[in-house]
Amino acid sequence: MSAGLETKFLKAKRAESRGDEAEARRILEEVLSRHPNNRKAIGGLARLDQTGTGFSRALQSGIDQMLNLYVQNDHAGVIAVGEPLLSRFPRAANVGNLLGAAYLSIEDYVTAESAFRRSIEADPQHQPSHNNLGLALKKLNRADEAEVSFKTAIDLNPADLEARFNLACHYRDEGRREESGAAFQDVLALQPDHVEARHWVGNVHRSNNAYMEAIDWYLKALTVKPDHFPSIINMAHALLDMGQLNSAADVYHQATLVDPDSIQAHFRFGSVLKLLGAMDRSHQAYSRALELDPSNPSIKAHLLYQEAIMSDWHARHKFTAIPFEKKDRKDTVEPFVALTFVDDPAVQLKRSQVHEQTLLTKPAAPFDFPAKKPGEKIRIGYFSADFHNHATLYLLAGMLREHDRDAFEIRAYSYGTLNGEMRNEIMPFVDSFVDIRGMTDEQAVAQAREDGLDIAVDLKGYTRDARMALFAMRMAPVQIAYIGYPGSVGGAEIDYIIADHVVIPEGDEHHYSERVIRIPGSYQANDNRRAIGTCPNDRTRLGLPATGFVFCCFNQSYKIGPQEFDIWMRLLHQVEGSVLWLIKSNDWSDDNLRKEAQARGIDPARLVFAEKVEQAPHLARQRHADLFLDTFAVNAHTTTSDALWGGLPVLTLMGRQFAARVAASLLHAIDLPDLVTTTTADYEAKALELARSPDKLAALRARLEANRLTTPLFDTVTHTRHIESAYRAAHQRWLDGQAPDHITVG
């Protein structure tokens, strides 16, 4: 140390000894202005801050004033007092920390960081400043630095609850579930009745699909705070994930009582009530959610979709005005909900793109798939929640049965319910059946990669219980969409979509984010061994009149709109004694359709509603109908195959989007193109012609019977070979290092 500095320190010491704090501080600050890292000067100023009289009283008075203002949420006042105070006492760590907290509260994170760092520079051991610096850095998206700050704060004071909680939340936000769970447990070790920690331990278990453990922790949180809303609503989510719909509904209802203004509670309550068939209560819940958030496009769409299920069309026209997303991008219209309202593939692609970007916000880590060994079978993984008595499996079972097991290894990955005889029926048709229902997305992806899949096939798309995140993480080098969703997913996670020349005509490829694979015949799989059961010969036992023409539509109620219904009622007007045979969807739909019929001058008794029955007797009873009238924006899909397999002709109007062209695809594949119309006028005229011409209808039914087993639609073996050719072509492109491209088979 130089003699000059020693002299200054001696003068500062003498000034301090005689009580002249101002002079001592002036001398030491002069030293620091020239030598900012001088430890002796820093220590001397710190000592003055701690032991001084006049200046320390001024400092404490300023800190007290800042604290009082902070408690009152007067953050501007804290800053107004704190900035000059920090200039006067630059080594007062408490001032810098309070000032930073005020800037943090007004979301000026850059200035907050600066204040906390000034505090730490003045006192590197100031633990609260390290903790708060971590909060500022998180807001600035500097996660790694934030973690270091939280850990430093914990090292300085291992018993600090706030720092440990912040570190646990940091792990949670970064998706580090196991570390998050352990860190929340550390919080509970310090404070066993910490409500938020108990709640978040529950969330960690729920994210790992350990639903019972999650519910146990939510209940533990509620024993401390019975009205803890996050624990209540997340317990409802867990119950819903477990398929316990009634219990979930009860807890969602409780959530709406605890927080009557929670949009999420009312919305989710409405969704589970819909699944339970309580359509009127579901409508009320959705309506309340929309009252709370009138600009929310998702809620608007779900409310209109709910009304479509109930055949309430009074506001149907409003759907086209619903924006694709909220301004904050948090809520979008689910693509499946949109299908029934707008027949436009460009609009559907845009909705899928917006939804996909909101749904899958975190980019997947890259993964290098190992090279394929020569001569190995191609491993196909089918992913679905519907490996049970479900329409998808009724279609797919025959294809699974007919796969060439010498060339392909077939694996089924199920994340839905496993009850029903159909699941057992397909077990001999797959090399491996893997239940991934209890796995996290990461675990399921790891399983698929470990299994060495060459192609992962998504059978869900944007339908109920889908897990698109699995495909976003990339389970196989080639990923293909098939059957489940009639449209594009709008993202890069799916490489190909299987189609045909009708559902996606040449020139429409730009409406799909995927590359299009077209196969001969129809894209849709069918099982030529589906059993057709028995039904009464006397159709009056089914509620039908003894005589008269039977128009039929066994589509779900949400597919039926006023445009179709207007035509159907005109047909009933013109065909004396005719009736319209519909599937019973729900009481509200039945009542509303009867009212709509009466409003159009048709006796409501001419609408006959069939109860839902098992597939085999359903196929059999269709012989009592004369003509199936298809819906427009969303055709009959599996329902068309059901009708044709059961011998019932289907009349369709071919629209523009995939969902509006499926029936046309099936009719072309069974060589009945004359039942495909392209205008509503032709559709109505053709239906009337067939209803008034028994000979023409009889000839048509005879052609259908002759074509059932001689045309491509129900040729399960040939269809399977076409699908396998598609798989080979897509797989070969990957082997050759080529990017996915459109493929035509045959």
Side-chain angles (χ1 to χ4, degrees):
M1 183 183 298
S2 68
L5 281 178
E6 190 59 48
T7 300
K8 289 186 180 295
F9 286 132
L10 184 58
K11 289 181 178 179
K13 183 68 174 176
R14 289 172 178 168
E16 184 180 351
S17 298
R18 66 175 181 265
D20 191 352
E21 293 176 19
E23 178 62 13
R25 186 178 294 276
R26 184 193 66 75
I27 294 169
L28 292 173
E29 289 180 348
E30 181 184 343
V31 171
L32 280 178
S33 68
R34 297 182 181 181
H35 307 282
N37 297 317
N38 188 284
R39 292 180 178 273
K40 194 168 183 178
I42 292 172
L45 284 169
R47 185 174 62 254
L48 285 174
D49 288 340
Q50 293 172 8
T51 63
T53 54
F55 269 76
S56 64
R57 283 196 298 271
L59 174 61
Q60 190 59 53
S61 175
I63 291 173
D64 290 344
Q65 188 179 2
M66 291 175 72
L67 282 170
N68 185 51
L69 292 166
Y70 191 84
V71 169
Q72 298 176 43
N73 291 319
D74 185 356
H75 304 301
V78 174
I79 293 168
V81 173
E83 284 291 3
L85 191 65
L86 190 60
S87 296
R88 186 178 179 189
F89 300 101
R91 302 296 163 182
N94 284 343
V95 175
N97 184 51
L98 274 171
L99 191 59
Y103 282 117
L104 200 61
S105 297
I106 65 171
E107 300 181 1
D108 184 350
Y109 305 125
V110 172
T111 309
E113 178 195 359
S114 175
F116 294 135
R117 290 198 183 280
R118 289 164 68 187
S119 177
I120 292 168
E121 182 182 354
D123 181 4
Q125 305 299 306
H126 196 260
Q127 189 264 357
S129 293
H130 286 284
N131 180 49
N132 286 332
L133 176 60
L135 295 175
L137 292 168
K138 272 186 70 67
K139 292 295 186 179
L140 292 168
N141 297 316
R142 288 152 61 185
D144 292 343
E145 294 176 71
E147 184 174 335
V148 171
S149 292
F150 293 139
K151 287 181 174 178
T152 301
I154 292 170
D155 289 341
L156 290 170
N157 182 7
D160 185 74
L161 195 68
E162 184 180 355
R164 287 195 179 277
F165 185 76
N166 287 338
L167 179 63
C169 292
H170 166 74
Y171 287 144
R172 174 202 69 199
D173 297 341
E174 291 299 300
R176 294 155 64 178
R177 284 194 286 262
E178 299 309 317
E179 292 168 280
S180 172
F184 281 121
Q185 291 284 11
D186 289 341
V187 173
L188 290 169
L190 292 171
Q191 184 179 321
D193 63 350
H194 195 290
V195 173
E196 287 297 330
R198 289 185 177 193
H199 164 246
W200 280 107
V201 171
N203 284 348
V204 170
H205 283 295
R206 180 174 166 244
S207 67
N208 287 327
N209 296 342
Y211 301 121
M212 291 305 298
E213 291 88 343
I215 290 171
D216 183 56
W217 278 100
Y218 296 140
L219 290 172
K220 287 178 180 178
L222 292 170
T223 59
V224 179
K225 192 174 189 297
D227 61 347
H228 188 246
F229 177 81
S231 292
I232 295 171
I233 198 161
N234 280 310
M235 182 162 62
H237 296 338
L239 290 164
L240 180 58
D241 292 338
M242 294 171 66
Q244 296 186 17
L245 300 184
N246 286 297
S247 296
D250 289 341
V251 181
Y252 279 127
H253 183 231
Q254 182 185 354
T256 65
L257 298 177
V258 170
D259 185 357
D261 293 332
S262 169
I263 300 164
Q264 183 190 27
H266 289 285
F267 180 76
R268 297 298 292 269
F269 187 36
S271 296
V272 76
L273 287 170
K274 179 173 67 178
L275 295 175
L276 287 168
M279 300 302 171
D280 53 344
R281 294 178 63 204
S282 174
H283 188 274
Q284 291 169 5
Y286 281 142
S287 298
R288 176 58 181 150
L290 189 60
E291 286 177 11
L292 294 166
D293 189 1
S295 66
N296 190 302
S298 177
I299 301 173
K300 287 181 180 180
H302 274 275
L303 183 59
L304 289 176
Y305 183 67
Q306 178 70 7
E307 290 174 352
I309 293 172
M310 299 169 74
S311 299
D312 177 354
W313 303 327
H314 81 280
R316 186 183 181 91
H317 62 283
K318 296 180 180 179
F319 187 91
T320 54
I322 298 176
F324 288 77
E325 61 188 328
K326 285 186 74 172
K327 291 181 180 179
D328 58 11
R329 297 182 61 84
K330 288 182 179 179
D331 291 287
T332 63
V333 175
E334 292 181 20
F336 183 83
V337 169
L339 288 175
T340 193
F341 296 97
V342 181
D343 177 15
D344 187 333
V347 171
Q348 297 303 342
L349 173 61
K350 178 64 175 176
R351 289 205 182 276
S352 290
Q353 288 172 331
V354 171
H355 185 67
E356 190 266 354
Q357 290 164 10
T358 305
L359 187 69
L360 305 171
T361 56
K362 192 172 182 179
F367 182 82
D368 292 326
F369 291 94
K372 188 79 174 172
K373 295 179 181 178
E376 275 191 297
K377 294 180 182 180
I378 299 176
R379 288 193 184 93
I380 310 295
Y382 289 102
F383 290 79
S384 181
D386 301 326
F387 288 118
H388 55 94
N389 293 7
H390 186 278
T392 297
L393 198 54
Y394 290 137
L395 295 176
L396 205 64
M399 193 179 88
L400 294 175
R401 181 185 65 240
E402 301 297 343
H403 264 312
D404 180 357
R405 305 282 282 280
D406 291 331
F408 294 88
E409 183 178 310
I410 306 301
R411 293 172 176 266
Y413 295 83
S414 172
Y415 49 87
T417 181
L418 295 179
N419 60 357
E421 66 274 7
M422 282 300 296
R423 181 254 183 177
N424 296 325
E425 184 177 319
I426 69 163
M427 291 299 284
F429 308 152
V430 297
D431 295 282
S432 178
F433 190 97
V434 186
D435 183 5
I436 61 172
R437 182 177 34 171
M439 295 184 186
T440 64
D441 290 340
E442 292 81 3
Q443 290 169 337
V445 170
Q447 179 70 62
R449 290 174 178 175
E450 183 180 338
D451 292 343
L453 293 184
D454 297 302
I455 298 175
V457 182
D458 176 33
L459 301 175
K460 289 298 294 178
Y462 291 128
T463 58
R464 183 186 167 194
D465 297 328
R467 288 177 70 173
M468 192 58 65
L470 299 179
F471 290 86
M473 294 182 201
R474 184 66 58 171
M475 295 182 290
V478 176
Q479 301 192 149
I480 298 177
Y482 184 45
I483 283 186
Y485 177 70
S488 177
V489 302
E493 58 270 19
I494 301 294
D495 303 307
Y496 297 96
I497 182 172
I498 292 180
D500 56 55
H501 293 273
V502 176
V503 287
I504 303 181
E506 281 78 1
D508 270 18
E509 294 85 356
H510 62 286
H511 294 315
Y512 299 83
S513 59
E514 307 85 354
R515 294 297 180 264
V516 178
I517 299 178
R518 294 185 178 90
I519 63 173
S522 175
Y523 83 102
Q524 190 186 87
N526 269 291
D527 184 359
N528 58 6
R529 297 186 190 176
R530 277 201 293 170
I532 299 177
T534 60
C535 73
N537 289 325
D538 180 2
R539 74 183 199 179
T540 61
R541 292 175 58 185
L542 300 175
L544 296 169
T547 60
F549 195 90
V550 178
F551 294 106
C552 164
C553 181
F554 285 151
N555 280 348
Q556 294 182 62
S557 56
Y558 76 87
K559 296 183 181 183
I560 302 172
Q563 188 179 23
E564 297 96 319
F565 202 75
D566 284 343
I567 294 172
W568 297 349
M569 294 303 100
R570 287 199 294 269
L571 290 170
L572 293 186
H573 263 299
Q574 297 173 83
V575 181
E576 186 177 353
S578 62
V579 296
L580 177 62
W581 198 14
L582 302 168
I583 202 75
K584 184 176 180 59
S585 294
N586 58 79
D587 291 341
W588 298 271
S589 172
D590 297 355
D591 289 344
N592 283 328
L593 289 175
R594 290 188 184 101
K595 291 174 184 176
E596 294 289 348
Q598 188 155 28
R600 290 163 175 79
I602 295 295
D603 182 354
R606 294 177 69 183
L607 271 56
V608 180
F609 293 92
E611 296 290 340
K612 293 179 181 178
V613 296
E614 294 297 323
Q615 191 196 41
H618 170 65
L619 293 174
R621 68 181 173 181
Q622 293 182 115
R623 64 186 176 86
H624 289 303
D626 294 300
L627 181 64
F628 189 112
L629 298 173
D630 196 14
T631 47
F632 297 165
V634 181
N635 292 164
H637 295 181
T638 306
T639 313
T640 294
S641 290
D642 289 346
L644 296 174
W645 184 243
L648 174 61
V650 176
L651 178 67
T652 192
L653 171 66
M654 184 170 64
R656 299 174 59 200
Q657 65 190 13
F658 192 125
R661 301 174 69 90
V662 171
S665 165
L666 303 177
L667 288 165
H668 277 282
I670 204 169
D671 198 19
L672 293 173
D674 43 319
L675 287 176
V676 178
T677 64
T678 56
T679 69
T680 54
D682 288 345
Y683 173 92
E684 185 171 352
K686 186 70 174 181
L688 186 59
E689 177 190 6
L690 291 173
R692 287 177 169 175
S693 306
D695 292 344
K696 288 184 179 180
L697 184 61
L700 183 63
R701 294 185 79 112
R703 281 174 56 205
L704 171 57
E705 182 58 31
N707 291 358
R708 276 201 324 143
L709 299 179
T710 60
T711 54
L713 182 59
F714 295 111
D715 185 347
T716 306
V717 174
T718 300
H719 176 87
T720 305
R721 298 291 88 81
H722 291 325
I723 290 290
E724 291 171 349
S725 295
Y727 290 164
R728 284 190 178 96
H731 178 57
Q732 190 61 50
R733 288 193 66 84
W734 178 74
L735 291 177
D736 295 341
Q738 296 178 313
D741 202 355
H742 304 301
I743 295 171
T744 299
V745 173

